[in-house]
């Protein structure tokens, strides 16, 4: 399992954004200072208001005009990539890079309302030859 912890300036906007992407909120692990976003059975995003997020830091929160990480989700198809990008933009996200097609890979990216960068990538394994261990 992986838990991604992200600071937010506006918890309500973050909840609306991530549920708008089609993810659910685990209310058991959410309160007025954080939301536990369920991306999958093994991926959770803990969105924490900045004061709560600071409780876990040794330094400062990265300024919103910097990129601290690029978080990438896999998709099952090109259509799923396009759909998630569309939903992100419709719910307060901003485009980051244009949609790219490079051989078997197809993906795009966006930022959430707090500027955290997300990519969505589909790889057509039928176009991949000689990949992986034998």
């Amino acid at each position: 399992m992986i838990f991604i912890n992200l600071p937010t300036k506006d918890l309500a906007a973050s909840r609306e954004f991530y549920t708008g992407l089609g993810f659910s909120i685990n209310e058991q692990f959410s309160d007025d200072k954080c939301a536990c976003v369920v991306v999958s059975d093994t991926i959770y995003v803990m969105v924490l208001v900045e004061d709560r997020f600071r409780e876990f830091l040794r330094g400062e929160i990265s300024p919103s005009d910097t990129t601290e990480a690029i978080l990438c989700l896999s998709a099952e198809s090109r259509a799923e990539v396009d759909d998630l990008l569309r939903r992100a933009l419709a719910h307060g996200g901003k485009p980051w890079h244009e949609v790219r097609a490079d051989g078997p890979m197809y993906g795009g990216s966006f930022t959430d309302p707090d500027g955290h960068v997300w990519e969505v990538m589909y790889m057509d394994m039928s176009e991949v030859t000689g990949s992986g261990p034998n």
Side-chain angles (χ1 to χ4, degrees):
M1 296 174 76
I2 184 168
F3 291 86
I4 300 166
N5 296 280
L6 299 174
T8 184
K9 292 182 183 333
D10 185 338
L11 186 59
S14 288
R15 287 177 70 105
E16 183 178 329
F17 175 77
Y18 287 105
T19 57
L21 293 180
F23 305 139
S24 63
I25 304 292
N26 181 328
E27 296 296 348
Q28 183 179 3
F29 296 106
S30 303
D31 58 27
D32 63 336
K33 295 189 180 246
C34 69
C36 178
V37 180
V38 181
V39 176
S40 74
D41 290 342
T42 58
I43 303 170
Y44 299 84
V45 177
M46 295 298 296
V47 184
L48 301 104
V49 296
E50 288 185 343
D51 287 344
R52 179 73 173 124
F53 189 81
R54 279 189 185 90
E55 294 176 18
F56 299 96
L57 298 182
R58 289 187 166 198
E60 292 299 316
I61 295 173
S62 297
S64 60
D65 62 348
T66 62
T67 302
E68 74 277 6
I70 298 172
L71 308 164
C72 186
L73 298 173
S74 63
E76 297 292 321
S77 66
R78 287 177 174 235
E80 185 180 354
V81 169
D82 294 339
D83 182 55
L84 196 58
L85 292 172
R86 180 191 55 73
R87 286 188 280 153
L89 300 180
H91 289 90
K94 293 186 172 45
W96 197 56
H97 283 295
E98 297 293 320
V99 171
R100 297 179 306 274
D102 184 17
M105 295 174 34
Y106 179 84
S109 56
F110 57 88
T111 64
D112 71 8
D114 289 291
H116 305 292
V117 178
W118 288 89
E119 287 188 323
V120 185
M121 188 66 60
Y122 166 67
M123 182 176 294
D124 184 347
M125 295 308 288
S126 68
E127 292 185 27
V128 178
T129 58
S131 65
N134 293 327

